[in-house]
Amino acid sequence: MTRNRPTLAGLMAGAAMALVAGAPAFAQEGPIRIGVLEDQSGDFAAATMVKVHAIELAAKEINDAGGIDGRPVELVVYDTQSDNRRYQEFMRRVLQSDKVDVVFAGFSSASREAYRPIVNQFDGLAFYNNQYEGGVCDNNMIVTGAVPEQQFSTLIPWMMEEYGPNVYTLAADYNFGQISAEWVRQIVEENGGTMVGEEFIPLGVSQFGQTIQNIQATEADFVVTLLVGAAQASYYEQASSASVGLPMASSVNVGQGYEHKRFTPPSLANMFVTTNYIEEIDTPASKDFVERFHAMFPDEPYINQEAANSYIAMNLYKQMVERAGTTDHDAIRAVLAEGDVCFDGPSGNVCLDPKSQHMSHTIYLAKVNDDHSISFPKVWEDIKPYWLGEAGCDLTKNDPSAQYTPSSPPPAQ
Amino acid sequence: MALFQSVFAMLYQFGDTFAFLVISCAGLAVIFGMMGVINLAHGEFIMCGAYVTASAARGGLPLPLAILTGALVAGAVGMVVERLVIRHLYQRPLDSIIATWGISLIATQGVLIVLGSTMQGIGTPLGSIDVGGRSYSLYRLVLMACALGLLGGLYLLFYHSRFGVIARATIQKPQMAYALGVNTGRMYGLTFGLGAALAGLAGGLYAPTMTMVPTMGATFIVESFVTVVVGGADIFVGAAPAAAILALIKAGLTAWYGQLFGQIGLLVTVILVIRILPGGLSGWLKGTTR
């Protein structure tokens, strides 16, 4: 009896190898597999559940219309739990064992920097559909979120003109907050203003008594709030109850965490946000998007800019694969390098920039009114993600796979 | 006037931090400090109190009543949890860590699934007052008064009521208390319920000032454990002075160097205290007076 066992095992191993060997040929005909790593629980879930839904909506629409190049889209979704280690774990899993064609991943910049080395290691392709502090120059990444030159070079000069030159920055203490604050500092100086204060808040802090007092002790004309996560969002309620009364400017609020819907008016009154999409935007394309979204997800609390970006990213990926005729990453990048990968979606027309693989945006200045309704005092059309390209990042020529900031730009060629 | 203004500002910040530490650690001081159960679900009892308070307040109940409802519901949930889980683990403190951590995960995820990722807040009442050109939230002053009231109330309960005497006897010498006719099982349940109710009260009191999310309890938990560890087993000789000292350190460092150093100061203090005074402040104070 015992002699039979190795033979049986050998047979099974042989069968398994045959299956593995047959797999690639089969995959070309089979569905296009898209990995989705987003936080569906934990501190960030409030802002990121909707991204998963946006991807599901796009996948359904693409499949209903015949798929990508005739192949259906199949989503491989994991909950990353707002935990950077989960991102690394699941990024390895989707790239190595699920063998997905492309990954849509990440909310916080810390999570993106946690998974990016893994995407590079396995030469994967990842879409990061979040607004962030900018500067990622990496061939394996396509970024559809807005970056500081799009959000701050519009917002800060407008605020300074409207309210005065003295600026106080309140930022979350990790790479996003630190680098965004550096951008604010630079733009304030360029426009002849003064930084009267700057404070970095550790993630998870929810008590702001002292911070509020520090702000009141200065002559600030407005406060730039770059606070992240549910705990830090307690600031608005506390500042409002202490009657700080200063206008606020932000790149993350409203457009991401829909604080104006969650908090009692008027705690967010006089908040100004530059965003590339929110559901209040009053264009036919936006209204149509909101309608289709609610048809599939009737209980969706809010459709934020990241939802629109994720939806746009799915459609951009479809276009690039269809133009390339394959899901091969080099072929997709060759299409991107042609410089005319554009999509006219919920937020208006957007195009991918070949040098940085970032996206141009229509930037809306959203103002939160006293009753927490939204008005749009200004719209900037077709704002390009110019900084990386001007600073010397050119992904069509080389791939440094690095993140740059204004104080540490790409090395001169 | 400038002197008065800065003195008031410092006192306000000190009082604000002190109130936060006392209110958030009171429940833990009873459950962990007195009963010795390392309750990692403390934050979730706080979250439970906050959610119930917010729902009740939006349902039309006046805020003080809503807060009381939050505390009572959290206390009732605490007594159920004690009966089902904690009761079997009094002699196994390490296992109770795992059990309460599990309860905490289930509660956070359960609320996320059932109630969604956020809940609309209820807004801070009472507005603000102006002192020397700066404005301060009036509700935070109420919180300070609540912290003092809470300490006074607990003192009366534990040292001047029959329940307090029996509870302390049950926890210090359970066999003896049992021999004298005390229903020790019921006392344990009531004491744990009291701890949970105090946590719920903390959630209710802070609900109007915070973002309502399932993970909101986590923002209380570090401060509560630090205060109870620094304080030691006794609420009045330990946790109250510990809260005062920690509030001084945290408010001072936050004022001068920002929030990050305030957090670092708290953690460095707890490391030093564990090294130098393993019994906490109360162990040290009682040791010197003995």
Side-chain angles (χ1 to χ4, degrees):
Chain A
M1 275 305 279
T2 46
R3 285 183 54 131
N4 279 342
R5 280 191 186 158
T7 325
L8 189 63
L11 268 174
M12 285 169 70
M17 274 168 70
L19 271 174
V20 171
F26 180 73
Q28 275 299 325
E29 309 305 316
I32 289 182
R33 290 162 68 80
I34 297 180
V36 180
L37 309 187
E38 296 289 356
D39 303 320
Q40 296 174 62
S41 57
D43 197 27
F44 300 135
T48 49
M49 296 262 245
V50 65
K51 292 172 77 178
V52 182
H53 293 164
I55 292 169
E56 285 169 358
L57 171 68
K60 181 175 172 287
E61 288 181 2
I62 289 170
N63 282 338
D64 287 351
I68 298 180
D69 222 359
R71 295 166 63 189
V73 169
E74 186 184 305
L75 301 179
V76 181
V77 186
Y78 292 110
D79 174 12
T80 39
Q81 301 165 19
S82 309
D83 181 343
N84 297 338
R85 276 169 304 174
R86 293 282 169 280
Y87 273 98
Q88 300 183 314
E89 196 178 309
F90 287 131
M91 187 55 86
R92 285 207 178 84
R93 189 188 294 187
V94 290
L95 292 177
Q96 282 190 291
S97 71
D98 296 328
K99 301 216 182 301
V100 298
D101 295 294
V102 64
V103 193
F104 285 51
F107 175 71
S108 85
S109 292
S111 66
R112 184 199 63 243
E113 290 309 297
Y115 75 63
R116 200 160 60 83
I118 298 165
V119 180
N120 280 310
Q121 184 191 345
F122 298 109
D123 199 21
L125 180 65
F127 276 83
Y128 179 60
N129 303 313
N130 236 85
Q131 69 79 227
Y132 81 116
E133 71 283 357
V136 169
C137 180
D138 187 331
N139 238 335
N140 299 91
M141 301 288 301
I142 297 176
V143 180
T144 59
V147 285
E149 65 263 35
Q150 296 172 314
Q151 293 187 288
F152 290 134
S153 65
T154 47
L155 174 69
I156 302 292
W158 191 91
M159 289 296 290
M160 287 172 63
E161 196 158 298
E162 199 81 2
Y163 293 104
N166 297 323
V167 184
Y168 196 107
T169 298
L170 211 55
D173 195 3
Y174 71 114
N175 54 354
F176 164 76
Q178 292 277 357
I179 298 173
S180 296
E182 189 184 328
W183 272 95
V184 172
R185 208 178 305 143
Q186 185 176 319
I187 293 172
V188 166
E189 266 165 37
E190 280 170 10
N191 289 277
T194 318
M195 293 300 305
V196 292
E198 203 170 56
E199 189 170 340
F200 294 96
I201 315 289
L203 283 177
V205 163
S206 66
Q207 301 299 316
F208 288 91
Q210 186 65 53
T211 305
I212 288 166
Q213 217 164 79
N214 293 349
I215 294 171
Q216 292 192 324
T218 66
E219 297 288 304
D221 292 316
F222 64 95
V223 182
V224 178
T225 57
L226 303 166
L227 301 171
V228 176
Q232 293 194 351
S234 301
Y235 167 79
Y236 310 106
E237 191 62 61
Q238 292 170 20
S240 160
S241 71
S243 301
V244 171
L246 290 171
M248 296 179 279
S250 176
S251 66
V252 285
N253 300 126
V254 178
Q256 196 156 281
Y258 52 101
E259 289 82 355
H260 61 301
K261 296 270 181 192
R262 284 157 48 201
F263 297 165
T264 318
S267 57
L268 237 73
N270 262 330
M271 159 77 80
F272 293 84
V273 185
T274 37
T275 176
N276 64 286
Y277 183 80
I278 47 175
E279 68 175 29
E280 284 91 349
I281 288 172
D282 196 15
T283 62
S286 162
K287 279 183 169 164
D288 181 44
F289 179 62
V290 171
E291 213 164 89
R292 280 180 286 139
F293 213 112
H294 283 156
M296 189 161 166
F297 300 100
D299 298 329
E300 195 64 60
Y302 193 72
I303 304 166
N304 63 10
Q305 61 181 349
E306 272 74 40
N309 291 339
S310 303
Y311 178 86
I312 291 166
M314 286 284 286
N315 285 286
L316 288 172
Y317 180 71
K318 172 183 192 292
Q319 183 190 137
M320 288 190 286
V321 170
E322 285 179 347
R323 280 168 62 177
T326 164
T327 56
D328 179 69
H329 298 160
D330 288 330
I332 286 175
R333 278 194 284 267
V335 172
L336 206 165
E338 289 170 26
D340 60 348
V341 176
C342 296
F343 179 70
D344 196 1
S347 62
N349 195 42
V350 293
C351 296
L352 285 177
D353 163 44
K355 279 187 176 175
S356 61
Q357 301 189 170
H358 284 50
M359 197 164 82
S360 70
H361 282 293
T362 301
I363 298 290
Y364 300 84
L365 180 70
K367 179 193 179 193
V368 182
N369 301 317
D370 285 346
D371 61 351
H372 281 198
S373 63
I374 298 278
S375 54
F376 298 97
K378 183 144 176 81
V379 177
W380 293 270
E381 295 216 343
D382 192 28
I383 301 289
K384 298 204 162 43
Y386 57 81
W387 180 75
L388 268 174
E390 282 178 8
C393 159
D394 190 348
L395 290 170
T396 57
K397 297 209 172 70
N398 58 16
D399 175 21
S401 296
Q403 182 175 16
Y404 302 114
T405 67
S407 62
S408 68
Q413 298 293 321
Chain B
M1 192 60 200
L3 181 71
F4 171 71
Q5 182 194 332
S6 48
V7 167
F8 181 84
M10 274 168 64
L11 278 178
Y12 178 88
Q13 288 314 326
F14 169 77
D16 190 37
T17 316
F18 176 74
F20 183 73
L21 292 176
V22 166
I23 291 173
S24 64
C25 91
L28 197 69
V30 171
I31 292 175
F32 174 46
M34 280 180 61
M35 300 176 72
V37 176
I38 301 173
N39 177 23
L40 289 183
H42 180 61
E44 280 57 48
F45 286 120
I46 293 179
M47 181 259 291
C48 169
Y51 266 62
V52 172
T53 301
S55 314
R58 278 223 310 285
L61 222 55
L63 188 62
L65 278 181
I67 292 173
L68 208 62
T69 315
L72 289 176
V73 171
V77 171
M79 285 173 73
V80 172
V81 167
E82 196 271 346
R83 176 55 66 96
L84 294 178
V85 182
I86 311 290
R87 173 156 302 188
H88 311 287
L89 301 172
Y90 281 126
Q91 308 307 322
R92 295 153 63 190
L94 291 178
D95 297 338
S96 74
I97 296 181
I98 304 289
T100 51
W101 190 43
I103 293 169
S104 134
L105 292 178
I106 293 168
T108 312
Q109 198 65 26
V111 169
L112 177 75
I113 292 169
V114 177
L115 297 175
S117 53
T118 64
M119 189 182 194
Q120 207 199 332
I122 44 177
T124 313
L126 298 180
S128 63
I129 50 160
D130 225 50
V131 178
R134 294 189 201 170
S135 49
Y136 299 89
S137 168
L138 211 54
Y139 187 72
R140 314 292 293 193
L141 292 174
V142 172
L143 288 178
M144 293 173 210
C146 286
L148 293 176
L150 191 63
L151 284 175
L154 283 177
Y155 180 79
L156 289 179
L157 181 67
F158 277 110
Y159 290 90
H160 292 279
S161 82
R162 193 173 157 73
F163 168 82
V165 172
I166 296 175
R168 284 185 296 136
T170 306
I171 282 148
Q172 282 168 16
K173 292 275 179 290
Q175 287 87 354
M176 196 60 190
Y178 190 64
L180 290 172
V182 173
N183 182 349
T184 51
R186 193 167 137 263
M187 283 318 292
Y188 271 116
L190 281 174
T191 314
F192 193 91
L194 174 69
L198 289 172
L201 182 68
L205 285 171
Y206 278 92
T209 73
M210 288 179 64
T211 330
M212 307 288 292
V213 289
T215 50
M216 68 183 294
T219 65
F220 290 85
I221 200 130
V222 173
E223 273 89 348
S224 340
F225 268 98
V226 164
T227 313
V228 174
V229 167
V230 169
D234 192 296
I235 306 180
F236 308 102
V237 192
I245 293 170
L246 290 170
L248 200 64
I249 293 171
K250 183 157 188 259
L253 283 173
T254 309
W256 285 314
Y257 300 107
Q259 291 260 14
L260 179 64
F261 285 89
Q263 297 275 329
I264 293 174
L266 271 192
L267 297 177
V268 168
T269 311
V270 76
I271 291 170
L272 288 177
V273 167
I274 290 173
R275 180 71 191 84
I276 299 167
L277 307 172
L281 275 181
S282 59
W284 178 64
L285 286 172
K286 283 181 176 168
T288 53
T289 52
R290 190 167 290 152

